[in-house]
Amino acid sequence: MKLTLDVENTVTHRDGKMHLDPFEPTNSLVMVGMLTDQGQCLTFPFDHADHPNQNDYFDRVQMMLDEATILICHNAPHDLVWLWESGFKYDGPVFDTMLAEYVMQRGQKEPLSLDACAQRYELSWQKQDTLKEYFKQGVSTRDIPYNELTEYLVADLHATQELSDRQYAKLLSKEYAGLMDTVVLSNQVAVVLARIYQRGFNVNESVLEDVRVEFENEKQTLTSELETMVHKLMGHRHVNLNSPEQLSQVIYSRKPIDKAMWQNNFDPYMSKESYKAVMKENSEIVYKKEPQKCHTCDGSGKVYRTRKDGSKYARPNKCKVCDGNGYVFVESERVAGLRFTAPDAKWVSANGFTTSKTHLEILEGFARQHDMHEAISFLNKVKRLSALDTYLSSFVDGINTYRKADGKLHVRLLQHRTATGRFSGADPNMQNMPRGGTFPVKKVFVSRWEGGKIMEADFAQLEFRAAAFLSQDGVAIEEVSTGFDVHSYTAKVITDAGQPTDRQTAKAHTFAPLYGATGYGRTKAEAEYYTHFTKKYKGIADWHSRLAKEALTTKMITTPSGRQYSFPNVVRKMNGTVSYFTQIKNYPVQGFATADIVPVVLLEMEKRLSTMKSCIVNTVHDSVVIDIHPEEEEKIISLVRNMNDNLTDLINNAFAVKLNVPMLLEAKIGPNWLDTKDVA
């Protein structure tokens, strides 16, 4: 029996956030709705104000779940977790109409809500959100009039079922041929992600507080050091480093004359000559400010009012010109700031020039090439301060906000947020966690078991290996087959070009050309590597050209897995370049690597762990994180090794491809997520 399901639950407002999950002690399952493929529609109250604590329906709901051959939901992970946490069991397949719609959009991101889908498909059951006013007034779900809530739930069920029928028909049509496998894979993964969400990742509260103190102390030190540097660079000109506009003035020593007109005068593709002329016309040099003795009060900070007869009052007033300190601050003849030159119009922002992390790194690379030690130090400190602010707000505060009463962070992983199909996260977004093994926040995550450990199984150079396979570049295939260290080679090329670079820093440059980046706007040494990449991996460059032709001809890009990306507006421009070329190069690599291969491995791991206590608790980028029970460490190590031996066959069988590029999982184990060591 096909069974369409939806649940209604309460929400909790805490720390300025809305929590929809069943892990909040104050939340409850209010109602479960079910619609059979025979048209029977049933609603079961469990904690409505008119029917409080009604568990009489539990067995009936469970019986229908047992009889279901497939569960149809809109946003299945939400419904599944509520069922599981309420004591129900369901291990069968699901069809998530939200995910199906996402896949069929082929990267064209239209709204995925049930009401938006109902309108697009012109369903006979149009969702009428009659409950919004209740929620605006702060009325709890359980207190909404029973008849209105039931009517709302019934409408959702019918709309979801009708939507699924329409979607299934589309998937069987010629236009959407090939997408069914991607929809099936996405739905299988949705169940695993729901399990990860349910399990949670154990958090050591005391270590989290230690990390907070560590970050705040470092932030305080950095702020003090930057204030000293800013004073040296800008004199007595006040600078708020949290303001992109003011930071821009420190770095580039120029500011817009008229901010309202500033951006309108720049074309991102204008010539360098035109850019220089427009920039000179629309901006002015920033000079240091220096104190001068106030002429109004002669430096005393006091002024005396004069009577009509010319005599002065005995009691002085505070000088308004200098605000009583005796000095006024005026522009000197010395140029302020670091005096960097923004190379082209793409560096123009609404508030002056860009101060993004990427562009600061470009400037830092330039500064290193030219031994600009003060600039290197300043840019490093600014980047680090910005990172600390992000770490504190997104991770330390985020973990505290979303950590539940069970002491765990229940990691939300989403398949429908990115254009490529790559996982994103929420509450907080763990996918934004910095790569590498040095991020202190990772050490707050520990095993749920006394004596347990954390394993991270990470793909080695997954994107590069995927690009090697997709392009069939002979050099790239040989390198990954022989264990050639691509990142160290990248670092050497950039270093030899005059910009000292370590392996970790070079990683971003290794992958950047795969994702459509060029040497445009980079330092001379970095640009040299990008040119070198194109010459060395000519097969990848040729593949990029073939992708562009495919997109222009079919308005579509298809990966070996069958995943598709639509480019309805792609054109060849007057200068010969192809619009959306960055995305055309980017999507196949990210799609095949992290939206297809990683999920297949995730599914296989979940299957193999199903009889063990150890469990998957997170996945970030191209890694899988496992909470290992103390009695199962050797079993888990053996499991990962066995999977390594069979990775190629696993991927080949999943997508009916012949992978001629080896795939490798590198496992590390430790007492927490940070302090992990390679498995011997």
Side-chain angles (χ1 to χ4, degrees):
M1 167 180 74
K2 293 181 182 177
L3 186 64
T4 303
L5 178 135
D6 191 20
V7 304
E8 299 296 338
N9 54 269
T10 60
V11 301
T12 297
H13 295 272
R14 179 170 56 82
D15 299 324
K17 303 289 184 180
M18 186 171 67
H19 300 259
L20 301 150
D21 53 81
F23 314 114
E24 287 286 320
T26 55
N27 278 350
S28 66
L29 180 66
V30 178
M31 193 177 293
V32 174
M34 292 177 163
L35 176 63
T36 71
D37 49 7
Q38 300 299 313
Q40 184 183 18
C41 191
L42 302 166
T43 58
F44 303 99
F46 285 93
D47 189 31
H48 191 272
D50 297 337
H51 301 272
N53 302 316
Q54 291 290 316
N55 291 314
D56 300 343
Y57 301 113
F58 186 93
D59 291 342
R60 193 171 176 190
V61 171
Q62 185 60 60
M63 181 185 70
M64 294 187 71
L65 290 171
D66 292 340
E67 293 176 357
T69 55
I70 189 168
L71 208 59
I72 301 169
C73 311
H74 196 82
N75 191 13
H78 174 85
D79 296 321
L80 287 172
V81 172
W82 266 104
L83 287 179
W84 295 333
E85 285 295 297
S86 301
F88 297 103
K89 295 179 180 178
Y90 182 78
D91 296 316
V94 301
F95 185 88
D96 188 335
T97 50
M98 179 185 287
L99 270 181
E101 186 65 17
Y102 165 78
V103 171
M104 288 189 290
Q105 287 183 7
R106 299 169 165 139
Q108 302 295 306
K109 298 176 71 176
E110 296 289 333
L112 297 172
S113 66
L114 184 56
D115 34 347
C117 290
Q119 291 174 25
R120 266 199 310 274
Y121 281 78
E122 298 180 346
L123 302 182
S124 57
W125 284 86
Q126 289 291 318
K127 182 177 167 68
Q128 301 294 325
D129 201 345
T130 57
L131 307 186
K132 281 185 178 178
E133 285 304 315
Y134 288 112
F135 294 134
K136 285 181 182 178
Q137 296 168 21
V139 177
S140 172
T141 307
R142 69 186 304 275
D143 294 319
I144 293 172
Y146 185 77
N147 290 339
E148 290 187 49
L149 186 62
T150 302
E151 186 179 333
Y152 176 86
L153 181 56
V154 168
D156 275 4
L157 289 167
H158 281 282
T160 302
Q161 188 182 72
E162 188 179 356
L163 177 61
S164 70
D165 290 340
R166 296 278 196 92
Q167 289 174 333
Y168 195 75
K170 284 177 72 173
L171 288 166
L172 294 177
S173 69
K174 185 178 180 180
E175 183 184 355
Y176 291 89
L179 284 180
M180 181 67 82
D181 288 344
T182 304
V183 171
V184 171
L185 174 64
S186 299
N187 278 295
Q188 290 172 336
V189 173
V191 179
V192 177
L193 299 186
R195 287 294 187 193
I196 293 172
Y197 180 39
Q198 182 192 21
R199 291 170 189 141
F201 204 163
N202 202 38
V203 175
N204 187 317
E205 187 178 356
S206 64
V207 175
L208 182 62
E209 186 56 31
D210 290 343
V211 171
R212 176 194 294 281
V213 171
E214 180 184 334
F215 282 163
E216 288 180 341
N217 287 342
E218 185 183 357
K219 184 179 174 180
Q220 188 175 358
T221 301
L222 270 176
T223 301
S224 177
E225 291 173 351
L226 278 168
E227 285 174 352
T228 301
M229 295 183 77
V230 167
H231 185 269
K232 181 182 176 184
L233 291 167
M234 307 298 289
H236 290 268
R237 183 182 292 275
H238 175 72
V239 174
N240 177 8
L241 291 175
N242 291 319
S243 164
E245 178 182 3
Q246 294 183 38
L247 179 59
S248 167
Q249 293 175 22
V250 177
I251 294 172
Y252 302 99
S253 303
R254 300 191 78 89
K255 64 179 180 181
I257 296 172
D258 183 355
K259 282 181 61 180
M261 296 292 294
W262 173 249
Q263 271 195 304
N264 296 331
N265 289 317
F266 293 93
D267 175 359
Y269 301 99
M270 67 197 307
S271 68
K272 286 194 175 183
E273 291 73 20
S274 298
Y275 163 69
K276 289 178 181 178
V278 174
M279 186 185 71
K280 188 175 181 180
E281 184 179 344
N282 287 272
S283 69
E284 60 185 11
I285 297 172
V286 177
Y287 292 95
K288 292 183 180 181
K289 279 195 172 182
E290 294 181 346
Q292 290 186 358
K293 186 168 69 174
C294 177
H295 295 295
T296 302
C297 64
D298 199 30
S300 68
K302 303 174 182 177
V303 293
Y304 292 84
R305 290 184 297 157
T306 305
R307 296 187 178 92
K308 290 182 179 180
D309 61 2
S311 63
K312 294 182 178 179
Y313 286 92
R315 184 178 296 173
N317 289 343
K318 182 173 73 173
C319 177
K320 293 182 179 179
V321 175
C322 65
D323 199 34
N325 60 27
Y327 293 90
V328 291
F329 300 93
V330 297
E331 289 187 348
S332 68
E333 294 182 354
R334 296 187 296 163
V335 177
L338 294 171
R339 309 187 195 186
F340 278 110
T341 300
D344 55 62
K346 291 183 179 179
W347 287 60
V348 173
S349 73
N351 297 303
F353 301 100
T354 182
T355 57
S356 69
K357 179 186 175 184
T358 299
H359 289 87
L360 294 186
E361 287 174 347
I362 293 171
L363 293 177
E364 187 188 343
F366 179 86
R368 291 187 185 280
Q369 274 189 296
H370 296 82
D371 293 325
M372 301 165 62
H373 300 293
E374 185 177 45
I376 295 168
S377 177
F378 180 83
L379 293 170
N380 264 326
K381 292 179 191 298
V382 168
K383 286 194 302 176
R384 182 60 182 172
L385 187 62
S386 176
L388 287 171
D389 282 331
T390 301
Y391 299 161
L392 281 165
S393 59
S394 297
F395 294 111
V396 176
D397 291 339
I399 292 169
N400 265 329
T401 298
Y402 290 103
R403 183 166 53 92
K404 304 302 177 182
D406 59 5
K408 297 180 180 67
L409 182 71
H410 291 267
V411 179
R412 283 186 64 200
L413 294 160
L414 309 169
Q415 297 183 78
H416 60 271
R417 289 277 182 89
T418 65
T420 62
R422 184 175 187 164
F423 296 160
S424 63
D427 307 335
N429 186 359
M430 300 284 278
Q431 302 301 300
N432 287 341
M433 186 167 285
R435 291 175 179 266
T438 60
F439 188 47
V441 172
K442 282 188 172 182
K443 65 185 175 185
V444 311
F445 294 100
V446 296
S447 176
R448 68 196 63 213
W449 294 290
E450 184 73 29
K453 293 183 180 179
I454 300 296
M455 170 187 279
E456 183 168 28
D458 195 359
F459 277 94
Q461 303 172 351
L462 177 60
E463 292 95 338
F464 190 79
R465 292 168 187 260
F469 168 69
L470 293 169
S471 67
Q472 286 297 294
D473 182 282
V475 176
I477 292 173
E478 182 181 358
E479 287 181 347
V480 297
S481 299
T482 58
F484 182 79
D485 192 337
V486 179
H487 303 312
S488 292
Y489 180 78
T490 303
K492 183 178 183 304
V493 173
I494 297 174
T495 300
D496 289 349
Q499 184 178 320
T501 304
D502 58 30
R503 184 180 183 276
Q504 188 61 39
T505 305
K507 279 187 177 183
H509 296 295
T510 299
F511 294 130
L514 305 178
Y515 294 146
T518 67
Y520 187 78
R522 311 298 303 190
T523 66
K524 184 179 179 182
E526 291 167 357
E528 190 167 318
Y529 168 75
Y530 285 66
T531 302
H532 181 85
F533 181 98
T534 304
K535 291 179 179 178
K536 182 182 181 183
Y537 304 110
K538 191 173 184 303
I540 293 178
D542 291 343
W543 174 60
H544 285 161
S545 298
R546 293 197 301 273
L547 285 173
K549 290 178 181 177
E550 181 183 348
L552 286 165
T553 304
T554 67
K555 308 295 183 181
M556 198 88 67
I557 296 291
T558 303
T559 71
S561 66
R563 189 179 293 274
Q564 296 177 347
Y565 302 105
S566 175
F567 296 95
N569 301 316
V570 64
V571 295
R572 190 175 293 280
K573 295 185 283 189
M574 293 291 290
N575 60 4
T577 61
V578 176
S579 60
Y580 305 101
F581 197 26
T582 297
Q583 293 92 325
I584 289 168
K585 291 186 283 186
N586 179 343
Y587 287 6
V589 177
Q590 280 207 14
F592 188 57
T594 55
D596 291 325
I597 292 177
V598 170
V600 165
V601 171
L602 192 67
L603 284 170
E604 182 65 17
M605 277 193 177
E606 180 73 10
K607 179 182 174 182
R608 297 191 183 199
L609 288 167
S610 61
T611 59
M612 301 185 193
K613 294 177 182 176
S614 303
C615 55
I616 300 171
V617 290
N618 198 12
T619 174
V620 179
H621 305 305
D622 52 7
S623 68
V624 180
V625 185
I626 302 172
D627 188 348
I628 301 178
H629 190 275
E631 298 174 0
E632 296 177 344
E633 183 174 341
E634 290 304 317
K635 287 183 180 178
I636 301 301
I637 292 173
S638 177
L639 181 153
V640 174
R641 285 173 176 165
N642 182 265
M643 284 196 64
N644 246 334
D645 294 338
N646 297 281
L647 268 180
T648 301
D649 289 340
L650 179 66
I651 297 165
N652 286 345
N653 293 336
F655 304 120
V657 298
K658 289 187 177 180
L659 203 66
N660 62 338
V661 174
M663 293 291 170
L664 178 64
L665 279 172
E666 298 174 329
K668 295 183 176 182
I669 292 180
N672 57 64
W673 192 11
L674 177 67
D675 300 316
T676 55
K677 295 182 179 178
D678 292 331
V679 174

